[in-house]
Amino acid sequence: TQLLEQSPQFLSIQEGENLTVYCNSSSVFSSLQWYRQEPGEGPVLLVTVVTGGEVKKLKRLTFQFGDARKDSSLHITAAQPGDTGLYLCAGVRAGSYQLTFGKGTKLSVIP
Amino acid sequence: EAGVTQSPTHLIKTRGQQATLRCSPISGHTSVYWYQQALGLGLQFLLWYDEGEERNRGNFPPRFSGRQFPNYSSELNVNALELEDSALYLCASSFMGFRNQPQHFGDGTRLSIL
């Protein structure tokens, strides 16, 4: 059983469209992080959310942490080809130092 | 400031051989983490080292082992290699003691078992 479930697994959209990807769990997390990974490279941290209900914006990317700290979402406005990549959510459960990853959402933005 | 560096970039081995992968953390980081990223399985936690000690290990057999040196760099050793060990091995580093400190990743070592 995957601790963090990401959906959708694959997403292919046209440039300019909006999209949302989800990261869900039945466990409570003290923090959740979002990474983007491009082929041949390691994951790069986009954001860390730590407070239930927290919303963070990074240019066209909006990240939200659920009120109960069990889920998170990433919304991209007006997607661009440069947004193409594997988006990974990762969380640290309460009482743990270990970071657990979801399997990721593979996003393709077509020009 | 240099990021996390890993070597070698690629490594090709045959079944039964042993592999050694190396990682240098970001300056000032004391914790080093190792992950395996195999096709279809996502990032799986392997090992966590801090201040030279193994702090936690994931659900991997004992033939996966490692160590952390006094300068905080780390080695991952995989003995008796099997075909299913083929994967991207990622190293990350962070400050220890701050649960919400992010982990910064290197670009990985691609291990291929023939």
Side-chain angles (χ1 to χ4, degrees):
Chain A
T1 303
Q2 194 74 14
L3 187 62
L4 281 167
E5 297 283 350
Q6 289 191 245
S7 62
Q9 195 174 352
F10 300 96
L11 187 57
S12 181
I13 62 170
Q14 294 289 328
E15 181 177 359
E17 291 183 351
N18 302 331
L19 67 113
T20 302
V21 298
Y22 301 92
C23 176
N24 295 304
S25 177
S26 57
S27 298
V28 176
F29 289 86
S30 60
S31 70
L32 267 176
Q33 300 170 8
W34 284 91
Y35 292 81
R36 183 171 71 209
Q37 185 178 20
E38 300 188 33
E41 299 181 6
V44 174
L45 179 71
L46 297 173
V47 77
T48 300
V49 286
V50 299
T51 306
E54 183 176 3
V55 177
K56 281 193 174 179
K57 292 191 174 184
L58 184 66
K59 297 182 181 178
R60 294 175 293 100
L61 278 60
T62 302
F63 304 86
Q64 185 161 7
F65 200 11
D67 291 341
R69 292 186 290 136
K70 292 183 178 181
D71 53 80
S72 182
S73 64
L74 159 60
H75 181 80
I76 301 179
T77 303
Q80 298 178 1
D83 296 327
T84 294
L86 179 68
Y87 287 82
L88 296 161
C89 71
V92 180
R93 280 192 293 178
S96 170
Y97 283 92
Q98 185 172 320
L99 193 61
T100 301
F101 282 82
K103 289 189 177 182
T105 293
K106 191 168 184 180
L107 172 65
S108 296
V109 182
I110 303 164
Chain B
E1 179 185 270
V4 176
T5 57
Q6 292 188 243
S7 63
T9 306
H10 294 89
L11 192 56
I12 299 174
K13 295 284 185 178
T14 58
R15 287 179 59 190
Q17 285 189 315
Q18 184 256 352
T20 298
L21 288 62
R22 296 179 176 82
C23 172
S24 292
I26 291 172
S27 178
H29 286 186
T30 61
S31 276
V32 171
Y33 310 81
W34 287 96
Y35 294 87
Q36 182 194 67
Q37 188 175 29
L39 274 174
L41 295 178
L43 271 82
Q44 303 290 315
F45 168 71
L46 267 166
L47 289 159
W48 169 29
Y49 291 95
D50 182 75
E51 298 285 358
E53 300 283 332
E54 181 181 303
R55 300 296 183 182
N56 199 8
R57 70 180 288 130
N59 189 26
F60 281 84
R63 57 190 187 83
F64 287 84
S65 66
R67 54 180 173 167
Q68 186 178 34
F69 299 98
N71 67 353
Y72 302 113
S73 67
S74 177
E75 255 180 22
L76 174 68
N77 294 293
V78 188
N79 294 319
L81 286 164
E82 300 179 2
L83 292 176
E84 54 264 34
D85 297 333
S86 292
L88 180 67
Y89 289 83
L90 291 161
C91 171
S93 72
S94 76
F95 292 108
M96 174 53 186
F98 298 90
R99 186 173 292 123
N100 294 326
Q101 281 292 325
Q103 296 182 16
H104 298 268
F105 286 82
D107 286 336
T109 292
R110 173 73 61 184
L111 177 62
S112 299
I113 313 302
L114 303 179

